[in-house]
C-alpha cells in the first residue's frame, strides 16, 4: 500500500529546537522540520552525528519539547499536552528501543518486558502472559528468567524490542538499535523489525547513521544540520 493512502500517525510542522536560547552561543539544532509518518510505515531517519536526528527522536518520542512548531501524534496535540499526559503517551503510544538497551539490571527478562504494563495498570496474570508471548515472538523463550548480565548484546536488544511492544503501541521508535551489535547480530535485530512491520503492521521509525540499514526501510529521510535535505523510497517500499 502506498503511504499516501494511509492516515498520518505523526505530523510535524515547522519544528524548531534551540538550545541556550537568548545567549550569544544559542544553538539552532532543528530548523523547521516538516514530516508526516503514516500508519503502518517503516521509515528511517538517517544522518551523521550532529545532524539533529537524536534531538528529533526525542521530540517524536515526547521526551523533549520543541522550541516552536506543531506536533500531532495519533490524533493527540503533543505540544499542548501536560507533562502527565506526555507520560501516558510515552507509555501507551510509543515503544522505545535504544542502542544501550536500557534494561533494569537486577530484573530478569520477563519482568523487564512486564514493566511498561505495570505502569499501564495491566493485571499481573495478563502481564506475565503478554510478556511470555512477546519474548517467544523475538526468540527469547529460553532466556525469560535470565538477568541482563547473563545475556549477550543481541539477546538484550531482543528483550528490549519485546518490552517496546508490551502495551501494543501505535509506534516503535528505534534509536540506533544495532549500533552496539556486530553485523550478524544486528541482522537478527533488523529481521525482527521487518517481521513486526510486515506481520503486525507496526509503524516503525528507525534512527540510524547507517545508509545501508536505512535502505532496507520503505522511506529514507536524510537530515543534515537540522534540516531534511532529501527523502526517497527504500528497498522495501
Amino acid at each position: 500500500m502506498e503511504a499516501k493512502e494511509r492516515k498520518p500517525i505523526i505530523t510535524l510542522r515547522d519544528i524548531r529546537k534551540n538550545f541556550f536560547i537568548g545567549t550569544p552561543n544559542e544553538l539552532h539544532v532543528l530548523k523547521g522540520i516538516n514530516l508526516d509518518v503514516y500508519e503502518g510505515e517503516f521509515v528511517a531517519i538517517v544522518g551523521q552525528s550532529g545532524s539533529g536526528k537524536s534531538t528529533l527522536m526525542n521530540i517524536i518520542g515526547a521526551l523533549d519539547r520543541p522550541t516552536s512548531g506543531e506536533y500531532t501524534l495519533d490524533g493527540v496535540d503533543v505540544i499542548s499536552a501536560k507533562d502527565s499526559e506526555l507520560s501516558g503517551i510515552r507509555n501507551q503510544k510509543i515503544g522505545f528501543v535504544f542502542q544501550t538497551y536500557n534494561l533494569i539490571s537486577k530484573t530478569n527478562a520477563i519482568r523487564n518486558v512486564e514493566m511498561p504494563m505495570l505502569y499501564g495498570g495491566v493485571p499481573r496474570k495478563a502481564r506475565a502472559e503478554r510478556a511470555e508471548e512477546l519474548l517467544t515472538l523475538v526468540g527469547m523463550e529460553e532466556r525469560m528468567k535470565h538477568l541482563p548480565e547473563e545475556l549477550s548484546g543481541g539477546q538484550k536488544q531482543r528483550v528490549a524490542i519485546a518490552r517496546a511492544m508490551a502495551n501494543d503501541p501505535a509506534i516503535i521508535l528505534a534509536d540506533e538499535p544495532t549500533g552496539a551489535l556486530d553485523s550478524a547480530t544486528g541482522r537478527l535485530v533488523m529481521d525482527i523489525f521487518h517481521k513486526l512491520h510486515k506481520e503486525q503492521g507496526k509503524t516503525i521509525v528507525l534512527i540510524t547513521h547507517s545508509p545501508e540499514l536505512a535502505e532496507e526501510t520503505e522511506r529514507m529521510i536524510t537530515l543534515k544540520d537540522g534540516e531534511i535535505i532529501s527523502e526517497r523510497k527504500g528497498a522495501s517500499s
Side-chain angles (χ1 to χ4, degrees):
M1 189 187 292
E2 289 295 321
K4 65 185 178 185
E5 297 177 68
R6 302 165 175 163
K7 188 178 79 172
I9 196 166
I10 291 171
T11 301
L12 301 171
R13 291 292 177 267
D14 199 25
I15 292 291
R16 298 174 185 273
K17 182 65 177 179
N18 303 339
F19 293 96
F20 313 116
I21 295 166
T23 65
N25 58 336
E26 182 171 342
L27 284 176
H28 301 274
V29 179
L30 297 179
K31 304 168 184 174
I33 299 292
N34 292 296
L35 176 65
D36 289 316
V37 176
Y38 296 85
E39 282 184 342
E41 195 178 15
F42 193 172
V43 177
I45 296 173
V46 65
Q48 297 301 314
S49 295
S51 62
K53 64 185 188 299
S54 292
T55 303
L56 181 58
M57 189 217 76
N58 287 339
I59 288 170
I60 291 173
L63 296 166
D64 196 8
R65 293 179 185 269
T67 305
S68 62
E70 300 172 12
Y71 176 21
T72 305
L73 170 67
D74 199 20
V76 177
D77 181 355
V78 177
I79 303 299
S80 63
K82 297 173 182 170
D83 287 345
S84 58
E85 292 175 285
L86 291 181
S87 294
I89 288 167
R90 288 192 295 269
N91 183 253
Q92 297 296 319
K93 291 187 178 290
I94 305 168
F96 293 94
V97 181
F98 298 100
Q99 179 176 343
T100 50
Y101 323 122
N102 287 17
L103 299 177
I104 299 167
S105 61
K106 298 190 185 324
T107 303
N108 66 23
I110 197 162
R111 295 282 182 261
N112 265 284
V113 176
E114 284 183 29
M115 201 60 67
M117 294 182 277
L118 179 65
Y119 291 127
V122 177
R124 178 182 289 186
K125 185 171 184 288
R127 288 201 309 267
E129 288 174 357
R130 172 78 173 155
E132 192 170 324
E133 173 192 322
L134 289 168
L135 285 167
T136 301
L137 178 73
V138 298
M140 287 294 290
E141 61 270 30
E142 303 296 323
R143 296 281 190 273
M144 292 187 191
K145 299 296 174 66
H146 287 60
L147 295 171
E149 67 185 27
E150 300 170 313
L151 302 174
S152 68
Q155 289 170 338
K156 288 177 190 174
Q157 196 59 294
R158 282 189 273 168
V159 173
I161 293 169
R163 181 187 57 190
M165 292 285 292
N167 285 327
D168 195 22
I171 297 155
I172 295 175
L173 196 52
D175 185 20
E176 300 281 7
T178 64
L181 306 175
D182 62 65
S183 58
T185 310
R187 176 73 267 146
L188 286 173
V189 167
M190 282 300 292
D191 287 345
I192 291 171
F193 285 123
H194 285 297
K195 182 177 179 181
L196 294 175
H197 173 237
K198 287 174 182 166
E199 295 181 11
Q200 300 200 11
K202 285 293 170 194
T203 305
I204 302 174
V205 179
L206 172 72
I207 313 290
T208 183
H209 68 274
S210 166
E212 293 81 15
L213 289 184
E215 192 71 58
E216 291 185 25
T217 67
E218 291 181 296
R219 188 160 55 112
M220 299 168 57
I221 293 142
T222 303
L223 219 59
K224 183 178 180 181
D225 298 330
E227 297 179 292
I228 292 174
I229 59 163
S230 71
E231 187 178 319
R232 64 185 178 85
K233 288 184 176 182
S236 70
S237 59

